[in-house]
Amino acid sequence: MVDGGIAKADKTEFKECLSLTWKQPYILRLALSAGIGGLLFGYDTGVISGALLYIRDDFKEVEKSTVLQETIVSMAVAGAIIGAAIGGWMNDKWGRRKSIIIADVLFFAGAIVMAIAPVPGVIILGRIFVGIGVGMASMTAPLYISEASPARIRGALVSMNGLLITGGQFLSYLINLAFTKAPGTWRWMLGVAGLPALVQFLLMLSLPESPRWLYRKGRKEEAAEILGKIYPADEVKNEIGALRRSVEEEIAQEGGVGEEGLSGKLRKALSSTVVRRGLAAGILSQVAQQFVGINSVMYYSPTIVQLAGFASNSTALALSLITSGLNAVGSIVSMYFVDRAGRRRLMLISLVGIVACLAVLSGIFFAAASHSPLVGETETQFFGNATCSDYKIGSSIRWKCTDCLKAAADCGFCASTPNKLQPGACLASNDLTKDTCHANHREWYTQGCPSDFGWLALIALGAYIISYSPGMGTVPWIINSEIYPLRFRGLCGGIAAVSNWGANLIVSQSFLSLTQALGTAPTFLLFGVVSMFAFVLIFFVVPETKGLQFEEVESMLEDKGYKPWKTRKRTTPQP
């Protein structure tokens, strides 16, 4: 049922989703068209990680400033906070379809601005435009899919939005690789993002509004017509009746909420025990999704690969494809298990794996730092006057590569050849020194040091992604599409999305600074500790919504004996 949750979880499996969408292709058309918003979300997350490597090469002020690098990445997130904040209001006021169309316009405009940017400041402006569009789409697309999908496959179709997010990330890495040798590199990488937005804009013009939103606005004939395209003819009458009863009950319950404006509606929402409990679960899920460190990996994946000891930009991009591909695989796994294992259980299992992988990653980076190659006096003197100004030849203090890269002066490490782990040279970091190092068939390092632990770090990073993607990657969005009463769903979804993007902003704006201040290993250890706290909080705050109608979720939240860790069974018969 459109107005319900999952009709029966053990039958709502991936194969049923395929079967039903094969019989009713209109459902798949709706879901895929709206899901392009997820593709845009994912593309933006992934593309900047590769583009940043080349933006650093083109603009020396970016290369020398960690804060400027973080700002280029995180301003899209800041824009997304604005987009998510206004998106909730727009969803309720103008509908899900129009909100997606407006998001496409903003995303397309931002992509063009970034592609022609003459200075870093214009790139940042374009990132803000893109971010606003992504923020609106990130909360609107799952909502649209949820409300326009049959209940028994709703979880799988909303998970498909998560698959498109990870698919967008993988696509961005492929496109990044494709343009590494092209003139303009990063301009093409960022500009191509406008194409999916244009495609979705055209598709959404031909698609209908959410039937629930239409019925809510009194446009009952339009809602019935859309239900007729979603359900078999013999089920349509029952679905319309169920939708009518659900909406009428909610209108009766809310009274004049819709006439009080945004602030009045917010006060009314927060006065409800159901909404407060729902928001606690929804916001916690969204914040935890970010604070486990995922976007430090996705935004800075090539940089992390370089920190693990791989110096080349193109090599770092190619190896980052592994993490992005595993993320996409994890989303497919989620589509199969989310309506079988349950939302809450998937998140908890996911967090156990995340904590373990972050602990291993931290240990690997600790080991890599302790085995960093020494700076050799002879090796450094070989390059004459190019020596790093902070490195004192003849000093009793022996420097390692890590000391060289942390020097107050802008320095880089030119590795020994043929063995990169032998003592190398600590030199002033500039284009001439870099070219001289390469001319001597040596690797030039500015982000990380040569290491035998690089492949171990990649394996642990892959395991982290596999742990994250099926649970914490997709489930928070599903929880937020199910846990709020319809009358407040747009508003509450907006609040939760803003919390997600706010946490995202904190992570993306601080990751590089943390790695500089604390070191790479302590930074991953910090994320691991936060993930442990997230496990405890989710266990005690987030309920299981698997198999429950929307009405049953609301009834569960208002129960005086409500305990999130106790599973609630269905109380209404399956149609």
Side-chain angles (χ1 to χ4, degrees):
M1 296 171 63
V2 169
D3 62 292
I6 305 306
K8 190 174 181 181
D10 58 359
K11 292 184 179 179
T12 314
E13 301 175 0
F14 184 53
K15 62 181 181 181
E16 184 173 350
C17 178
L18 291 176
S19 174
L20 187 56
T21 52
W22 179 262
K23 295 175 185 176
Q24 299 284 114
Y26 189 74
I27 299 171
L28 190 60
R29 181 185 167 194
L30 285 173
L32 284 176
S33 297
I36 294 177
L39 186 77
L40 292 172
F41 182 1
Y43 187 90
D44 175 72
T45 302
V47 74
I48 194 60
S49 64
L52 185 63
L53 302 181
Y54 296 92
I55 293 172
R56 286 196 317 230
D57 289 344
D58 276 8
F59 300 108
K60 294 306 173 187
E61 63 266 42
V62 176
E63 183 179 24
K64 293 178 180 180
S65 173
T66 296
V67 173
L68 189 52
Q69 292 176 44
E70 291 172 330
T71 301
I72 289 173
V73 171
S74 64
M75 277 304 99
V77 182
I81 293 174
I82 299 171
I86 64 175
W89 173 79
M90 290 177 65
N91 276 332
D92 288 343
K93 183 72 174 178
W94 295 338
R96 293 37 164 155
R97 174 177 168 270
K98 286 183 180 178
S99 296
I100 292 174
I101 289 173
I102 294 171
D104 290 329
V105 172
L106 289 167
F107 201 103
F108 184 80
I112 299 302
V113 168
M114 289 188 292
I116 63 174
V119 294
V122 179
I123 299 176
I124 292 171
L125 178 64
R127 294 284 293 162
I128 292 173
F129 275 116
V130 166
I132 295 173
V134 168
M136 292 171 60
S138 71
M139 61 159 299
T140 306
L143 192 59
Y144 182 88
I145 294 170
S146 175
E147 294 182 348
S149 303
R152 59 187 179 275
I153 62 167
R154 191 181 69 218
L157 287 178
V158 175
S159 288
M160 187 176 69
N161 183 66
L163 173 62
L164 287 169
I165 291 175
T166 55
Q169 291 168 343
F170 187 73
L171 177 65
S172 72
Y173 284 110
L174 288 176
I175 289 177
N176 281 348
L177 275 175
F179 287 115
T180 53
K181 303 298 182 182
T185 52
W186 60 269
R187 298 183 185 276
W188 286 104
M189 295 172 183
L190 298 176
V192 165
L195 292 179
L198 181 61
V199 170
Q200 185 179 46
F201 177 86
L202 296 174
L203 288 173
M204 292 305 296
L205 290 177
S206 64
L207 289 176
E209 183 53 78
S210 156
R212 290 185 64 81
W213 185 86
L214 288 171
Y215 204 96
R216 174 79 181 175
K217 296 296 181 179
R219 296 159 64 176
K220 300 177 182 179
E221 292 183 1
E222 293 177 61
E225 182 181 351
I226 297 165
L227 290 176
K229 295 179 180 179
I230 295 174
Y231 288 92
D234 59 340
E235 296 181 21
V236 173
K237 186 176 180 180
N238 288 338
E239 294 303 324
I240 293 174
L243 181 60
R244 174 183 57 79
R245 290 190 297 272
S246 176
V247 172
E248 286 178 353
E249 286 175 6
E250 288 179 330
I251 291 175
Q253 290 172 7
E254 71 177 345
V257 168
E259 306 300 323
E260 296 179 9
L262 182 60
S263 60
K265 193 169 187 178
L266 181 60
R267 286 195 300 271
K268 185 77 172 180
L270 294 178
S271 69
S272 165
T273 301
V274 172
V275 172
R276 289 198 304 273
R277 287 173 173 173
L279 276 175
I283 291 175
L284 173 61
S285 300
Q286 296 283 35
V287 170
Q289 184 188 64
Q290 296 302 323
F291 278 178
V292 299
I294 182 59
N295 277 326
S296 65
V297 174
M298 301 314 299
Y299 288 138
Y300 299 108
S301 184
T303 301
I304 292 173
V305 171
Q306 289 182 333
L307 289 170
F310 299 93
S312 164
N313 282 355
S314 56
T315 300
L317 280 173
L319 292 175
S320 296
L321 271 172
I322 298 172
T323 60
S324 183
L326 290 173
N327 202 16
V329 170
S331 295
I332 296 174
V333 172
S334 175
M335 289 180 68
Y336 184 81
F337 284 106
V338 70
D339 290 324
R340 170 179 280 185
R343 289 83 160 113
R344 172 186 162 85
R345 183 183 298 175
L346 271 182
M347 283 198 293
L348 293 175
I349 293 173
S350 177
L351 283 167
V352 171
I354 287 169
V355 170
C357 292
L358 286 171
V360 171
L361 265 173
S362 180
I364 290 171
F365 278 106
F366 269 124
S370 64
H371 291 81
S372 174
L374 293 170
V375 173
E377 291 188 2
T378 303
E379 292 283 321
T380 301
Q381 288 175 323
F382 175 79
F383 291 92
N385 294 329
T387 302
C388 171
S389 59
D390 285 357
Y391 176 65
K392 306 302 180 184
I393 294 177
S395 170
S396 59
I397 300 175
R398 297 297 304 274
W399 270 28
K400 291 184 176 181
C401 169
T402 49
D403 300 310
C404 177
L405 299 189
K406 290 179 181 178
D410 192 16
C411 302
F413 184 79
C414 185
S416 179
T417 185
N419 186 349
K420 294 185 293 184
L421 300 180
Q422 292 297 314
C426 183
L427 309 173
S429 181
N430 54 57
D431 288 340
L432 178 61
T433 309
K434 176 182 177 182
D435 292 341
T436 304
C437 180
H438 285 158
N440 283 273
H441 308 291
R442 299 170 179 235
E443 289 283 2
W444 177 249
Y445 292 83
T446 58
Q447 297 296 321
C449 292
S451 171
D452 272 342
F453 297 92
W455 288 106
L456 282 176
L458 283 178
I459 292 170
L461 205 59
Y464 167 83
I465 294 293
I466 291 173
S467 299
Y468 169 87
S469 185
M472 292 304 297
T474 55
V475 174
W477 297 106
I478 298 174
I479 289 286
N480 276 275
S481 72
E482 296 177 329
I483 204 164
Y484 309 119
L486 175 62
R487 59 193 178 276
F488 297 120
R489 191 168 301 150
L491 177 66
C492 293
I495 293 171
V498 168
S499 68
N500 180 287
W501 288 109
N504 190 335
L505 178 62
I506 292 170
V507 171
S508 59
Q509 184 64 46
S510 63
F511 176 71
L512 292 180
S513 295
L514 282 173
T515 59
Q516 278 197 345
L518 303 178
T520 307
T523 299
F524 281 114
L525 186 60
L526 176 63
F527 283 132
V529 172
V530 171
S531 299
M532 290 176 62
F533 280 108
F535 178 92
V536 174
L537 290 173
I538 285 175
F539 182 87
F540 286 107
V541 175
V542 180
E544 180 58 75
T545 58
K546 182 194 78 170
L548 300 180
Q549 306 284 3
F550 285 139
E551 300 90 338
E552 291 174 316
V553 172
E554 189 168 345
S555 174
M556 171 183 66
L557 293 175
E558 68 183 354
D559 191 336
K560 290 183 179 180
Y562 168 70
K563 290 182 175 58
W565 56 91
K566 291 188 176 180
T567 301
R568 182 186 178 97
K569 296 182 179 179
R570 288 183 54 88
T571 57
T572 59
Q574 180 183 354

